Amino acid sequence: MESILSIEFTAYVALAVLLYAIRQAANIPNRYIPLAAVILGVAFSAFESHAFSFDVLVTGLKYALYGIGSVAAIKYAIEKAGGDK
């Protein structure tokens, strides 16, 4: 249970929610969502560790990939629920 509530889980859930909100509010094309995710993920990782290194970059990319996957899952679930009606 502790690993579920860890900072990594919170970070990628927050990133996923932020990316979904940006996608809906700004109506930017889907091809720019991964770029925004990488920038936000690396920025959050650098903010979290108060430094920048290769490990911080990899952690930021991990956050970005998790965030993109979560946004895709949310989008698919909403489309699937709307298509059944």
Side-chain angles (χ1 to χ4, degrees):
M1 184 69 171
E2 184 177 317
S3 65
I4 292 176
L5 299 176
S6 69
I7 189 70
E8 285 103 17
F9 180 77
T10 306
Y12 95 82
V13 168
L15 182 62
V17 170
L18 184 61
L19 285 172
Y20 186 75
I22 288 171
R23 185 177 175 277
Q24 293 299 319
N27 203 12
I28 61 175
N30 285 339
R31 65 180 174 187
Y32 295 122
I33 294 293
L35 180 63
V38 167
I39 291 169
L40 291 172
V42 171
F44 182 78
S45 181
F47 177 74
E48 179 183 40
S49 68
H50 303 291
F52 190 80
S53 66
F54 182 73
D55 292 332
V56 170
L57 179 67
V58 170
T59 302
L61 292 174
K62 181 176 72 172
Y63 289 161
L65 288 174
Y66 288 158
I68 292 168
S70 298
V71 168
I74 292 168
K75 180 183 170 191
Y76 176 76
I78 290 173
E79 288 177 357
K80 185 73 170 170
D84 290 340
K85 292 183 179 181

